[in-house]
Amino acid sequence: MRRVGPVRVAGSVAAGTVALLLGLAGCGLVPGSVTPVDEVEFTNELAIPPLAPSRVVDGARVFSLRAQEGTTEFLPGVETRTWGFDGPYLGPTLRAERGERVAVEVTNDLDEPTSVHWHGMHLPAAMDGGPHQEVEPGGTWRPTWRIDQPAATLWYHPHPHGATEKHVYRGLAGMFLLDDDASRAADLPQEYGVDDVPVVVQDKVLDDAGQLQLSDDGSEPGTLGGTVLANGTVGAYHEVTTEAVRLRLLNGSTARTYQLGFADREMDLVATDGGLLDAPVRLEQVRLAPGERAEVVVRMEPGETTRLHSFEADLGGVVVPFAMGGNDDFDVLELRATDRLAPSPEPAWTTSAHAADDALRESDATVTREFELDDRRINGRTMDMGRIDETATVDATEVWEVRSIVPMPHTFHVHDVQFRVLTVDGDPPPPELAGPKDTVYLEPNRTYRLLMRFEDYTDPDVPYMFHCHMLLHEDEGMMGQFVVVEPGQDAGTVPEHDGGAEHGDHSDADAGGSGPDVTPATDAHQGQH
Ligand code: C2O
Ligand code: CU
């Protein structure tokens, strides 16, 4: 097996941070919380993001998304300036079936460049929506690809170079649900917005004028807000009319990690980031770091009320957990069962016809790569748009050994693939990491061995990203780039600044994006105007 090791750098910026944190720990702050969440009444009906309209043009399902400014009344009578897709905050839920070709017309009505990344999606790098596919103000980008992966709760959000935290925090994010043969036939609640409910969990700091604030005081791992939102609703309740409800939980926050569950009942975990588990797992809580998803099924009795709660999160060996949200506990969403509940099945499903093709086998792995994370660097380097850090061969199965060497929260996200967590420090992963994953919380000083395969698409010149999904960390350079190439092919070159505000050369209005081709489906769509 080929082993690709990290570039080791003597000394570490981590030392400074640890000293800072130890100072904080010693300065008399009681280990309650420095980032408490406000108590609120749960009297607002949970907003359900609408399903995005689409139309089929030449065999492709075509969606459109428009990034725009607006205002949102998070608190009664207070207009907060926000950003959203096709509305003032968050965006519609896109939904497509395995095997379908999709196309999205992404228009940027903001005053600055943005991008839309399809988090968790297997697709060509030029369609990925990372920092190399920014859309200039007034511009439209038209990615297209074929859905070829299991049913899952994916999501989309901007990924502009150095500004992802701000764009997501202002409200640009939405869900992208995939269906397949297994999910369609599953005994699972399936009525969108009724018993199959998207729940985007986020936290905000609202200043005295009710405006969104990102702290710039060096807090780690970023801004932790005292106002918690579910789908943009503060103090949300959802009326449950069935014996069981499926919650598609997404941590859409920039920095906060949640430990979600119910004080008075267990739940069935049915899916992780990239799709269904082999079988449901009953558990009390699921930890979700930024970018991670979990689908859970919760049972209710007629007339009762319960609340989805975020318990004190176990952040692993973090040096001062109470300064990083680890001691916060608060309610997120109230579920109110009606007096009569329609029957719901016990969660069960059979495997997809694609399961054998999708399967990853450790025995197929031919390459092992090591990734070591410190404060802001991965393998001693910060992000360089012009540097390709890793080159993978198409169809190769690889093991990525990832380890954070600092006592602070980090996550690890890989574009294009869903991986399997083989081991955590040599042990089998807990149930919440046992399904397909694209993002994983890294407990400090533990080695996560991730198994993945880079299929179908090669492009030596357009990279995919791997990075920390704590968005301040990502923006401050905790990101690297990889390309997928044909056997024997070398990585190409990427222009150093081919995205971003400085150069508007690749995504001006009505250009076909940075991909080499504008597909027939997109052309046909353009022809309709
Ligand atoms: Cu959810 Cu590279 O991002
Ligand atoms: Cu990080």
Side-chain angles (χ1 to χ4, degrees):
M1 173 154 348
R2 193 158 62 89
R3 190 164 267 274
V4 186
V7 181
R8 306 245 173 207
V9 179
S12 166
V13 280
T17 300
V18 175
L20 184 87
L21 295 175
L22 289 172
L24 184 60
C27 76
L29 288 168
V30 282
S33 170
V34 294
T35 53
V37 168
D38 306 335
E39 286 212 25
V40 293
E41 303 287 319
F42 283 74
T43 50
N44 299 311
E45 193 170 352
L46 176 71
I48 303 290
L51 284 169
S54 63
R55 58 197 186 292
V56 176
V57 181
D58 283 357
R61 179 170 300 284
V62 182
F63 299 94
S64 66
L65 288 174
R66 184 175 293 270
Q68 58 191 61
E69 296 175 11
T71 60
T72 304
E73 208 177 302
F74 293 124
L75 304 177
V78 183
E79 294 294 336
T80 303
R81 288 187 298 279
T82 52
W83 291 357
F85 291 105
D86 298 356
Y89 192 75
L90 295 178
T93 297
L94 277 59
R95 189 153 201 174
E97 185 92 16
R98 185 167 194 168
E100 266 189 315
R101 173 161 281 279
V102 296
V104 192
E105 187 175 77
V106 176
T107 300
N108 180 8
D109 278 352
L110 304 173
D111 290 337
E112 58 187 273
T114 192
S115 82
V116 178
H117 165 58
W118 319 102
H119 180 125
M121 198 77 76
H122 173 52
L123 76 185
M127 308 297 165
D128 189 43
H132 294 277
Q133 290 93 38
E134 288 185 6
V135 189
E136 294 300 314
T140 296
W141 177 57
R142 295 186 173 83
T144 177
W145 69 95
R146 200 168 72 83
I147 305 292
D148 188 16
Q149 67 190 89
T153 299
L154 308 185
W155 66 301
Y156 60 91
H157 63 79
H159 216 300
H161 186 54
T164 296
E165 182 194 31
K166 170 183 167 189
H167 287 224
V168 173
Y169 190 73
R170 295 260 173 114
L172 293 171
M175 282 200 180
F176 201 139
L177 307 185
L178 303 184
D179 302 300
D180 69 5
D181 56 334
S183 71
R184 291 261 181 226
D187 282 336
L188 286 172
Q190 318 234 6
E191 200 179 335
Y192 181 81
V194 176
D195 63 2
D196 181 354
V197 183
V199 183
V200 184
V201 185
Q202 299 175 305
D203 61 332
K204 306 291 171 191
V205 177
L206 294 173
D207 67 14
D208 292 341
Q211 302 308 314
L212 293 172
Q213 258 200 349
L214 273 173
S215 52
D216 50 7
D217 58 1
S219 334
E220 285 292 337
T223 298
L224 301 175
T227 301
V228 167
L229 311 174
N231 301 342
T233 309
V234 181
Y237 72 86
H238 179 70
E239 192 175 85
V240 173
T241 55
T242 49
E243 291 169 350
V245 61
R246 173 190 194 173
L247 303 178
R248 297 182 186 251
L249 304 169
L250 158 65
N251 183 346
S253 307
T254 53
R256 191 185 278 282
T257 295
Y258 302 89
Q259 183 98 18
L260 298 171
F262 295 84
D264 60 354
R265 72 201 62 212
E266 298 183 311
M267 51 197 186
D268 286 314
L269 178 72
V270 301
T272 50
D273 300 340
L276 293 168
L277 306 180
D278 293 337
V281 177
R282 187 141 301 177
L283 40 66
E284 290 183 354
Q285 299 173 5
V286 58
R287 181 178 65 196
L288 283 188
E292 291 187 297
R293 288 88 66 208
E295 293 182 33
V296 298
V297 173
V298 185
R299 297 195 81 83
M300 303 218 29
E301 298 293 332
E304 70 171 349
T305 290
T306 188
R307 283 186 184 173
L308 178 69
H309 191 80
S310 186
F311 296 87
E312 295 191 4
D314 175 6
L315 299 176
V318 161
V319 67
V320 273
F322 66 87
M324 300 189 184
N327 288 35
D328 299 340
D329 86 288
F330 48 89
D331 292 325
V332 174
L333 169 68
E334 184 168 288
L335 298 178
R336 300 179 181 175
T338 50
D339 289 337
R340 305 185 102 194
L341 298 176
S344 300
E346 277 299 320
W349 54 89
T350 51
T351 48
S352 160
H354 301 278
D357 282 347
D358 294 338
L360 293 166
R361 277 168 297 268
E362 190 178 1
S363 56
D364 292 339
T366 51
V367 179
T368 298
R369 295 177 204 269
E370 292 174 34
F371 297 88
E372 197 175 82
L373 285 73
D374 62 26
D375 291 42
R376 293 291 187 273
R377 300 179 302 187
I378 303 178
N379 289 344
R381 297 192 286 223
T382 50
M383 170 73 168
D384 179 342
M385 292 271 285
R387 183 189 69 227
I388 294 181
D389 297 281
E390 308 290 339
T391 302
T393 304
V394 68
D395 290 331
T397 300
E398 303 201 354
V399 175
W400 287 23
E401 293 183 356
V402 186
R403 184 176 179 94
S404 162
I405 57 163
V406 290
M408 59 195 293
H410 288 309
T411 57
F412 196 73
H413 169 49
V414 187
H415 287 207
D416 185 43
V417 293
Q418 292 292 330
F419 53 75
R420 292 272 169 178
V421 181
L422 292 171
T423 53
V424 179
D425 256 7
D427 295 326
E432 67 205 65
L433 302 183
K437 293 283 295 169
D438 54 53
T439 307
V440 64
Y441 180 78
L442 300 177
E443 294 188 358
N445 296 309
R446 308 190 94 191
T447 299
Y448 292 72
R449 297 182 68 243
L450 314 177
L451 183 67
M452 62 195 83
R453 184 170 62 222
F454 302 97
E455 293 176 350
D456 303 315
Y457 309 115
T458 61
D459 191 332
D461 302 318
V462 182
Y464 298 100
M465 306 295 132
F466 56 89
H467 59 89
C468 180
H469 217 287
M470 296 189 171
L471 300 181
L472 173 71
H473 294 179
E474 175 186 337
D475 284 344
E476 291 187 348
M478 202 157 193
M479 179 151 63
Q481 312 195 96
F482 69 98
V483 288
V484 179
V485 298
E486 300 291 344
Q489 194 178 27
D490 289 327
T493 46
V494 279
E496 204 161 333
H497 295 291
D498 65 348
E502 308 90 4
H503 295 251
D505 53 356
H506 78 295
S507 58
D508 43 357
D510 281 328
S514 65
D517 53 58
V518 175
T519 68
T522 312
D523 286 333
H525 169 61
Q526 283 175 305
Q528 287 188 333
H529 288 293

